[in-house]
Amino acid sequence: MNIDFTKAPSPSYLIDERLLVKNLEILKQLQERTGCKILLAQKAFSMFAYYPLIGEYLSGVASSSLYEARLGREEMNKEVHIYSPAYDDKDFAEILEVSDHVVFNSFGQWAKFKEQVKNAPRHIECGMRVNPEYSEVETGLYDPCAPYSRMGVTEANFDPEALDGLDGLHFHTLCEQNSDALEHTLAVVERKFGNYLKGMKWINFGGGHHITRQDYDLDRLAQCITAIKEKYDLEVYLEPGEAVALNTGYLVTTVLDVFENGMPIAILDTSATCHMPDVLEMPYRPEIINAGKPGEQAHTYRLGGPTCLSGDVIGDYSFDQPLQVGDRLVFCDMAIYSMVKNNTFNGIALPAIASYNEEDGIRVIKEFSYDDFRSRLS
Ligand SMILES: *Cc1c(COP(=O)(O)O)cnc(C)c1O
């Protein structure tokens, strides 16, 4: 059954639970087939209303900060893993209260916090993030292996004398990639760090695996996992963010005005910079239901937001009918890196958060107000 988007608030992020479950099934099957453990990387998708559901399929969460770790503990309460480029003294005691795995980014940090971990109120497994200096990511902003990277310990800086107490290694070098890139990366990780894996309990393959994408080669991923598990007798963790909620959500928006300036322009009640910042940062072009590339259909418009940033432009799209004030436009793949990154620049209100399933139809989970804007500013 199709969703009646006119019944959703505008603007709103709307998650189609049926599609989320479809992704979760794929991930769960991979866990069952290979014995690996899959964590939700919360930085991509932290809509905790769905954490109980996600927890039925996945093994826990990966966190980038104390707050994410705490959210994962409070709302899912399965395995909580944390990695940060550097931990702050003032957070660390609380991190140890909510986490199961703590991954360090340098041997300096490991030396600094090692004793505190040993004396923690719960058993904590520790890992070191390594930087294999091999990546197939082409965008500099997303390449953790670029020269002078601050992500992970390189082979030259690895200290084999300081491994006592470390249970695992972690690497994260992929971004929206297929399993061939993982296979190539693993060969380098093994060559540089394989010797150290022998005494360890686990390896974490990080995120960036686009596992739930149509053309993803699951068999090759399964082979990678099984080969490492067997060769080194390790538990294998994966912590995808995007893949969990890929193509499961929409941003429902409305046309506020239409006018001409050399070409037809439409202003929407949503902003690229406030509500879909990756459109400008990545950058990328989100799909709109029933719209085409410029010129593909009869009427082409430049779509922009209501902020005063000149570059608040989502892109050029074509439609078979002229756009009218009040028309609904629905952007696709807006579950990930949207709610977690939005902001109230210019005093633009935050989109509501809604869900859809067959039993309940559209359910509004959260609406935001002036107070959400105001509360951060003084
Ligand atoms: C970003 C990140 C992830 C998740 O990446 P996706 O591209 O969303 O799958 C996982 N682990 C670490 C350490 C990350 O930085």
Side-chain angles (χ1 to χ4, degrees):
M1 207 192 75
N2 284 328
I3 302 173
D4 181 359
F5 289 107
T6 64
K7 298 278 193 324
S10 179
S12 65
Y13 303 109
L14 192 157
I15 304 302
D16 187 335
E17 196 174 310
R18 301 167 299 184
L19 300 176
L20 183 61
V21 167
K22 214 165 106 183
N23 284 353
L24 291 168
E25 294 277 6
I26 293 171
L27 298 170
K28 186 178 175 187
Q29 276 166 20
L30 183 72
Q31 289 186 122
E32 286 167 355
R33 173 175 171 192
T34 63
C36 76
K37 289 187 174 180
I38 301 183
L39 310 168
L40 164 71
Q42 296 178 93
K43 80 165 190 245
F45 183 71
S46 304
M47 187 176 158
F48 57 87
Y50 277 125
Y51 281 15
L53 175 78
I54 294 171
E56 289 173 27
Y57 293 84
L58 304 187
S59 301
V61 296
S63 325
S64 317
S65 59
L66 167 61
Y67 289 172
E68 281 189 357
R70 183 174 156 184
L71 188 70
R73 175 58 67 213
E74 289 178 358
E75 303 296 335
M76 195 183 299
N77 202 19
K78 295 189 79 182
E79 285 188 40
V80 174
H81 294 221
I82 183 168
Y83 157 78
S84 170
Y87 296 106
D88 194 324
D89 290 310
K90 67 180 187 299
D91 293 341
F92 205 71
E94 212 180 322
I95 286 173
L96 296 181
E97 283 172 28
V98 296
S99 308
D100 299 299
H101 280 216
V102 176
V103 174
F104 294 93
N105 192 54
S106 75
F107 281 96
Q109 283 256 304
W110 168 229
K112 178 174 174 182
F113 289 112
K114 190 176 171 175
E115 277 309 304
Q116 222 178 317
V117 174
K118 259 195 208 155
N119 300 322
R122 56 194 298 134
H123 173 70
I124 309 262
E125 307 235 326
C126 291
M128 185 63 63
R129 176 162 172 172
V130 295
N131 177 347
E133 298 168 89
Y134 175 86
S135 171
E136 297 178 22
V137 177
E138 275 155 20
T139 318
L141 187 60
Y142 296 96
D143 179 4
C145 298
Y148 315 118
S149 168
R150 53 184 225 297
M151 319 311 281
V153 183
T154 58
E155 186 181 25
N157 294 291
F158 198 82
D159 183 0
E161 306 298 315
L163 300 183
D164 185 42
L166 285 178
D167 305 289
L169 295 183
H170 176 291
F171 69 89
H172 171 72
T173 60
L174 307 183
C175 181
E176 302 188 338
Q177 277 161 310
N178 214 315
S179 43
D180 55 340
L182 173 66
E183 192 178 80
H184 307 153
T185 305
L186 273 174
V188 181
V189 169
E190 279 200 73
R191 179 157 56 73
K192 294 188 171 180
F193 303 102
N195 270 337
Y196 312 121
L197 281 173
K198 280 170 192 150
M200 297 208 163
K201 290 191 197 162
W202 49 264
I203 183 167
N204 187 323
F205 289 180
H209 317 273
H210 240 194
I211 302 171
T212 52
R213 197 175 71 198
Q214 280 273 309
D215 67 340
Y216 190 87
D217 184 349
L218 273 166
D219 289 339
R220 192 191 288 241
L221 172 60
Q223 281 157 18
C224 287
I225 295 168
T226 313
I228 294 284
K229 259 179 98 78
E230 285 174 0
K231 185 161 170 191
Y232 300 96
D233 191 23
L234 292 171
E235 188 90 76
V236 173
Y237 286 93
L238 275 75
E239 45 184 37
E242 288 209 13
V244 177
L246 188 67
N247 287 314
T248 64
Y250 305 96
L251 177 54
V252 181
T253 71
T254 304
V255 177
L256 298 181
D257 194 17
V258 180
F259 55 83
E260 278 284 333
N261 180 15
M263 70 178 289
I265 292 169
I267 308 290
L268 310 183
D269 64 352
T270 192
S271 153
T273 191
C274 295
H275 301 160
M276 40 182 133
D278 271 358
V279 165
L280 303 180
E281 243 180 67
M282 268 299 265
Y284 80 103
R285 179 193 152 89
E287 294 294 320
I288 297 177
I289 294 176
N290 293 330
K293 295 195 176 67
E296 222 169 59
Q297 300 185 37
H299 307 275
T300 296
Y301 292 82
R302 177 153 299 175
L303 304 181
T307 70
C308 61
L309 172 74
S310 308
D312 189 1
V313 169
I314 302 151
D316 295 352
Y317 294 80
S318 65
F319 302 85
D320 62 354
Q321 298 292 326
L323 288 181
Q324 309 284 342
V325 171
D327 282 354
R328 284 284 157 106
L329 298 184
V330 179
F331 291 88
C332 300
D333 198 16
M334 283 290 162
I336 50 173
Y337 291 108
S338 52
M339 291 171 240
V340 291
K341 278 188 113 174
N342 62 12
N343 62 74
T344 57
F345 172 62
N346 260 215
I348 302 300
L350 296 170
I353 295 175
S355 66
Y356 176 87
N357 67 28
E358 259 157 37
E359 204 180 324
D360 306 321
I362 292 173
R363 220 157 47 89
V364 178
I365 290 174
K366 175 99 181 176
E367 287 177 292
F368 300 91
S369 69
Y370 171 67
D371 292 338
D372 296 288
F373 163 64
R374 184 180 187 275
S375 65
R376 297 196 313 152
L377 295 174
S378 277

